[in-house]
Amino acid sequence: MVFRKPPDGGWGWVIVVVSFFTQFLCYGSPLAVGVLYLEWLDAFEEGKGKTAWVGSLANGIGLLASPVCSICVSSFGARPVAIFSGFMVAGGLMMSSFAPNIYFLYVSYGIVVGLGCGLLYTATVTITCQYFDKRRGLALGLISTGSSVGLFIYAALQRELIELYGLDGCLLIVGALSLNILACGSLMRPLESSSSPQPEKMCVDKVPDQYFVYHEKEKTIEENISILEKGYIDEKCVNNVPDCKQDNILNKNVLSSINVNEKDSYKKKVVEQTNFCKQLAKRKWQLYLTYWKETMVLFKNKVFSALFVAILLFDIGGFPPSLLMEDVARSANISEDDYYMPLISIIGIMTTIGKLILGILADFKWVNTLYLYVTTLLMTGVALFAIPFAKSYLTLAMLSGILGFLTGNWSIFPYVTTKTVGIEKLTHAYGILMFFAGLGNSLGPPIVGWFYDWTQEYNTAFYFSGFCVLLGGFLLLLAALPCWNACTSQSSKLPPNTYSYKVASNT
């Protein structure tokens, strides 16, 4: 398929709008799952750690399966994947309304909805990058705010729906709203040249004949020859009886020679096919070895290794508040009359603001993006330590706003990764980091919930969360100090294509 040059506009703005609403519709409920978390605690009467697995799986499984999602979008295209994933998200939400126990929710809400969100995120980012080049950063920034706006609106929406229609009715309505993803996906027109000529052959047609897997009818050469022989002899016998016997002998000799030649040709093709499979397997194995060698080279970069630890610890400690903040307020005996806005909604709107402001700051030449990212980690750790001391709605709302703003550091994380490993290794490194980010998202809320089940209070849980985030931030700060550059310059040269982060300011 021949692609045109990205238009940086035109239908691309339609892609931005539908991608925004796609992320809004698919991530709204999973990110605002803290409202549903309270209802599931009362409905199934399971432990907080056990129940927290539902929301953590829904938010982490998409990151864990990011390699599979990328393969699906590359193989089938953004539009088919978006439409199929819309059915997954809507179906998973509707199935969750009939959940008889918490284990059913692990599959219907955690895995099905989570995997659908991961596929949709990959599809929206891919199709947006195809339509934009010069304005790609702006376009990606706009669509990424869809999830944060979804968190802000769905937190209040789901609470209102639960009061009106109950938990089951809420999930059915939210699932029905998610069907609008199908309309958004249908508008994700692939960017291809309409005037380009049709390709002469598909890729499969360009493979030599000896590399094909032969059909069953081609393997039964003897059966085909016997049928031809029988039909030819019968025809001759009907038309000319005296010559029937003579032609029969002649045809048997000719067809037997053809039979031998076909058998030899078939055996030759089988040998060639076997050799091709061996060469293909050897090449695949070499690619895997190369991948692991490049991975080891990445981890020789001290800043990348520290970044890997930091993102894992940040998601273990920094993600639980977005899921558990409503239960924290209930545990602190805060009256519902004091609620002016759901705490999760505050986190959502401040995350949107944080993404925009931190993204703008990262574009300034005098701002070092790595130090900016480390600052957000350290401030997040301090805010988590302050949660146990918040005993009123106002203080919890302020901490929710601070945590939401700092969580917007996701917008500068690609900048940090690029500066650390270089643009050539960005895809490889980012995939590894996102996998462990998903692992942290999946483990964080259950760990905090288990701390509550063990101690019957959230203080120890958030001390642990704050310690994890602070530890990751300090490790990354130590790895990025200028003294590492001095040590690196005195040591042996790095392997080819390896990049070390320059911590000095660009001014």
Side-chain angles (χ1 to χ4, degrees):
M1 182 176 293
V2 180
F3 290 95
R4 296 199 307 263
K5 183 181 179 180
D8 282 300
W11 191 261
W13 295 118
V14 177
I15 297 296
V16 170
V17 172
V18 298
S19 297
F20 172 88
F21 281 105
T22 297
Q23 293 201 16
F24 170 84
L25 292 168
C26 72
Y27 277 105
S29 181
L31 290 178
V33 72
V35 177
L36 304 175
Y37 172 75
L38 298 177
E39 302 299 323
W40 288 330
L41 283 174
D42 297 336
F44 300 114
E45 298 180 349
E46 299 284 356
K48 294 182 185 294
K50 199 172 183 180
T51 307
W53 270 111
V54 181
S56 63
L57 283 174
N59 287 278
I61 199 70
L63 293 175
L64 289 172
S66 56
V68 178
C69 298
S70 299
I71 292 173
C72 291
V73 174
S74 300
S75 301
F76 303 105
R79 179 159 58 183
V81 170
I83 294 174
F84 175 77
S85 303
F87 281 112
M88 287 187 64
V89 174
L93 289 169
M94 292 180 181
M95 287 169 54
S96 300
S97 65
F98 302 101
N101 50 55
I102 199 70
Y103 303 103
F104 188 91
L105 285 174
Y106 289 163
V107 178
S108 62
Y109 198 98
I111 296 178
V112 177
V113 175
L115 186 57
C117 291
L119 288 168
L120 286 167
Y121 177 80
T122 306
T124 53
V125 171
T126 301
I127 193 70
T128 303
C129 290
Q130 289 178 3
Y131 272 86
F132 287 90
D133 184 15
K134 296 179 181 179
R135 300 178 180 177
R136 184 174 296 169
L138 174 63
L140 291 176
L142 290 174
I143 69 171
S144 66
T145 58
S147 58
S148 302
V149 175
L151 169 59
F152 171 70
I153 294 179
Y154 268 75
L157 176 64
Q158 290 186 147
R159 172 176 289 183
E160 190 67 23
L161 290 176
I162 289 173
E163 293 180 357
L164 294 175
Y165 306 104
L167 176 61
D168 297 342
C170 171
L171 290 171
L172 284 174
I173 294 173
V174 171
L177 288 174
S178 300
L179 289 173
N180 289 286
I181 297 174
L182 306 181
C184 295
S186 64
L187 295 174
M188 294 181 183
R189 186 173 64 195
L191 182 64
E192 57 180 286
S193 179
S194 58
S195 59
S196 61
Q198 292 295 328
E200 295 180 1
K201 287 187 177 182
M202 298 299 292
C203 295
V204 179
D205 295 336
K206 296 181 181 179
V207 180
D209 293 338
Q210 63 266 28
Y211 296 157
F212 280 115
V213 178
Y214 308 105
H215 297 293
E216 186 177 356
K217 62 181 181 180
E218 294 177 320
K219 295 179 182 179
T220 58
I221 298 174
E222 296 180 359
E223 297 179 4
N224 295 337
I225 293 176
S226 63
I227 294 172
L228 291 173
E229 177 184 354
K230 185 174 183 288
Y232 179 79
I233 293 173
D234 291 343
E235 183 179 357
K236 293 294 291 182
C237 290
V238 172
N239 296 333
N240 192 357
V241 176
D243 295 336
C244 177
K245 188 178 293 185
Q246 182 179 359
D247 290 342
N248 190 7
I249 296 173
L250 179 62
N251 289 329
K252 282 185 177 181
N253 294 331
V254 174
L255 292 174
S256 62
S257 64
I258 294 175
N259 192 359
V260 173
N261 293 333
E262 291 290 343
K263 286 182 179 179
D264 293 339
S265 177
Y266 174 70
K267 290 179 180 179
K268 184 179 179 181
K269 290 181 179 180
V270 171
V271 172
E272 291 175 349
Q273 173 72 15
T274 304
N275 292 333
F276 172 74
C277 292
K278 290 180 180 178
Q279 293 295 329
L280 183 62
K282 184 178 180 180
R283 184 179 178 185
K284 290 291 185 182
W285 178 250
Q286 291 176 349
L287 290 175
Y288 291 140
L289 289 179
T290 303
Y291 176 84
W292 287 112
K293 289 180 181 178
E294 291 179 353
T295 303
M296 296 305 297
V297 169
L298 286 174
F299 279 99
K300 288 181 180 179
N301 187 333
K302 296 181 178 62
V303 179
F304 178 81
S305 299
L307 191 62
F308 146 75
V309 176
I311 191 64
L312 176 63
L313 294 177
F314 172 74
D315 281 279
I316 289 177
F319 176 68
S322 62
L323 176 62
L324 304 174
M325 192 60 77
E326 297 293 331
D327 192 49
V328 172
R330 187 169 71 171
S331 301
N333 297 321
I334 297 176
S335 174
E336 293 185 0
D337 297 335
D338 297 334
Y339 267 68
Y340 301 101
M341 182 185 297
L343 296 175
I344 299 180
S345 295
I346 297 175
I347 293 176
I349 194 63
M350 291 304 296
T351 301
T352 305
I353 297 174
K355 286 180 178 179
L356 294 175
I357 294 179
L358 292 175
I360 293 172
L361 287 176
D363 287 333
F364 288 110
K365 293 183 179 181
W366 53 270
V367 173
N368 188 292
T369 53
L370 180 59
Y371 287 154
L372 178 62
Y373 185 75
V374 170
T375 302
T376 61
L377 294 183
L378 298 179
M379 292 178 66
T380 300
V382 173
L384 289 171
F385 271 112
I387 289 179
F389 300 98
K391 301 300 181 181
S392 65
Y393 173 82
L394 181 60
T395 53
L396 283 177
M398 293 175 60
L399 289 174
S400 297
I402 294 173
L403 288 171
F405 180 87
L406 296 173
T407 305
N409 62 6
W410 276 100
S411 63
I412 64 173
F413 189 72
Y415 286 81
V416 177
T417 308
T418 304
K419 290 291 186 180
T420 303
V421 302
I423 190 64
E424 292 83 359
K425 294 182 179 294
L426 174 61
T427 303
H428 186 179
Y430 200 72
I432 295 173
L433 295 174
M434 287 300 99
F435 175 84
F436 286 99
L439 185 63
N441 275 349
S442 301
L443 294 178
I447 291 176
V448 172
W450 289 330
F451 269 108
Y452 184 92
D453 295 335
W454 178 36
T455 61
Q456 294 303 309
E457 45 86 19
Y458 274 115
N459 295 351
T460 306
F462 282 105
Y463 291 150
F464 169 79
S465 297
F467 172 77
C468 287
V469 178
L470 284 176
L471 177 62
F474 278 120
L475 289 176
L476 186 56
L477 178 62
L478 291 175
L481 289 176
C483 61
W484 283 116
N485 287 342
C487 295
T488 303
S489 61
Q490 295 175 2
S491 62
S492 60
K493 294 183 179 180
L494 290 171
N497 298 327
T498 304
Y499 300 83
S500 61
Y501 193 96
K502 297 181 180 179
V503 297
S505 176
N506 291 327
T507 55

